[in-house]
């Protein structure tokens, strides 16, 4: 992250919400820059080089999805969408466009901060993962290079597709992945509408990795949207 204080760019057209975010985030040690339009937000993001961006979808000059796409052209920085749009399709569109997470208004500061911490942890550990190819969270360890999975120190056998599915989640640990994103990565572009494949293999993976598959601790469901691997 940038220096001692993580830098956040808030792209939101509602002044009271911007004020709420500015006050709340600064009180928790963040350096905050603001933009009231999408175009201004793209400029702020490029100039400030933030550690994280918070983007509203309902901006006055352009859709927030286009802001997300604009940032993704040059940066992998974590992006959290805040929006009053609660329909699953809006969430899926934002996540498919490159957002890391989606929080529906009204929202609590505590939940936003928790999601920000997850996104920043994911961004901070991603370079380390590329170097040594080992990921750990709790009692679960995954070595992508040597293709092994251990739970509480015991090696777990996975089929090739199960391992490919887990690998996609590991490479994006902490990030919400939509069903279409996962299907495309694991099975290929022609399988993006075959959601039943994903449900079957996710169930199999949970049977092998979760103490209680009905209450997963690692492989989390984002209802109607996709899955997230807890970090």
């Amino acid at each position: 992250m940038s220096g001692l204080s993580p830098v956040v760019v808030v792209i939101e057209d509602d002044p009271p919400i911007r004020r709420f975010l500015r006050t709340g985030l600064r009180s928790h040690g963040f350096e905050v820059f603001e933009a009231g339009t999408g175009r201004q937000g793209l400029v702020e993001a490029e100039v400030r080089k933030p550690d994280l961006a918070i983007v509203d979808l309902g901006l006055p000059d352009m859709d927030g999805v286009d802001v997300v796409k604009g940032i993704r052209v040059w940066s992998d920085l974590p992006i959290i969408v805040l929006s009053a749009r609660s329909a699953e399709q809006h969430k899926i569109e934002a996540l498919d466009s490159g957002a890391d997470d989606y929080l529906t208004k009204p929202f609590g500061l505590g939940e936003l901060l928790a999601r920000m911490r997850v996104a920043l942890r994911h961004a901070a550990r991603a370079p380390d993962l590329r170097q040594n190819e080992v990921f750990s969270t709790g009692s679960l360890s995954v070595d992508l290079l040597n293709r092994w999975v251990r739970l509480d120190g015991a090696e777990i056998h996975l089929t090739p597709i199960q391992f490919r599915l887990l690998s996609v989640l590991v490479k994006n640990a902490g990030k919400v992945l939509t069903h279409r994103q996962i299907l495309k990565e694991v099975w290929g572009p022609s399988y993006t509408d075959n959601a039943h494949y994903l449900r079957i293999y996710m169930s199999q993976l949970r049977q092998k990795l979760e103490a209680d598959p009905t209450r997963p601790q690692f492989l989390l469901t984002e209802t109607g949207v996709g899955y997230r691997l807890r970090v």
Side-chain angles (χ1 to χ4, degrees):
M1 292 185 283
S2 303
L4 296 177
S5 297
V7 176
V8 179
V9 167
V10 174
I11 307 172
E12 163 67 61
D13 68 321
D14 189 329
I17 293 180
R18 281 207 312 274
R19 184 168 56 251
F20 169 74
L21 290 171
R22 179 175 64 247
T23 302
L25 295 180
R26 285 180 177 170
S27 71
H28 284 81
F30 291 92
E31 186 176 358
V32 181
F33 297 93
E34 304 169 37
T37 67
R39 290 183 178 85
Q40 182 187 356
L42 287 171
V43 171
E44 284 291 312
E46 189 166 358
V47 170
R48 306 296 182 183
K49 299 293 189 294
D51 297 291
L52 183 144
I54 295 173
V55 181
D56 179 30
L57 292 187
L59 298 167
D61 59 334
M62 60 192 298
D63 195 282
V65 167
D66 293 322
V67 175
V68 173
K69 291 178 179 177
I71 293 174
R72 281 290 170 257
V73 169
W74 60 271
S75 177
D76 290 327
L77 70 92
I79 300 173
I80 296 179
V81 166
L82 288 181
S83 179
R85 304 175 191 173
S86 59
E88 289 176 1
Q89 186 54 44
H90 291 138
K91 298 179 181 180
I92 291 169
E93 183 182 10
L95 292 165
D96 278 342
S97 298
D100 294 86
D101 207 343
Y102 192 111
L103 194 56
T104 304
K105 299 176 182 176
F107 61 92
L109 182 62
E111 182 177 5
L112 173 61
L113 288 166
R115 291 175 183 252
M116 290 172 67
R117 288 193 293 269
V118 168
L120 290 169
R121 283 200 304 270
H122 168 239
R125 77 192 307 170
D128 294 332
L129 181 59
R130 284 193 291 269
Q131 289 170 12
N132 59 36
E133 302 298 330
V134 175
F135 169 86
S136 295
T137 178
S139 58
L140 176 66
S141 297
V142 183
D143 187 325
L144 296 179
L145 182 62
N146 296 302
R147 298 180 64 84
W148 56 253
V149 179
R150 289 177 183 150
L151 187 65
D152 290 320
E155 191 153 350
I156 305 296
H157 172 73
L158 299 182
T159 68
I161 291 181
Q162 290 169 355
F163 186 81
R164 198 180 313 153
L165 172 57
L166 182 60
S167 297
V168 170
L169 294 168
V170 165
K171 291 173 183 176
N172 295 276
K175 179 177 179 179
V176 179
L177 294 179
T178 66
H179 299 123
R180 289 178 64 86
Q181 287 173 320
I182 299 172
L183 286 162
K184 182 179 178 181
E185 289 294 321
V186 177
W187 284 275
S190 60
Y191 289 84
T192 53
D193 293 326
N194 295 75
H196 62 285
Y197 282 21
L198 181 53
R199 286 194 296 271
I200 291 169
Y201 277 92
M202 183 59 72
S203 175
Q204 294 174 354
L205 207 52
R206 283 174 168 163
Q207 289 291 335
K208 292 185 175 182
L209 300 181
E210 302 285 0
D212 181 356
T214 64
R215 301 178 64 184
Q217 299 299 307
F218 303 120
L219 306 169
L220 308 182
T221 297
E222 295 288 333
T223 305
V225 176
Y227 297 97
R228 178 208 309 262
L229 178 61
R230 174 174 282 159
V231 295

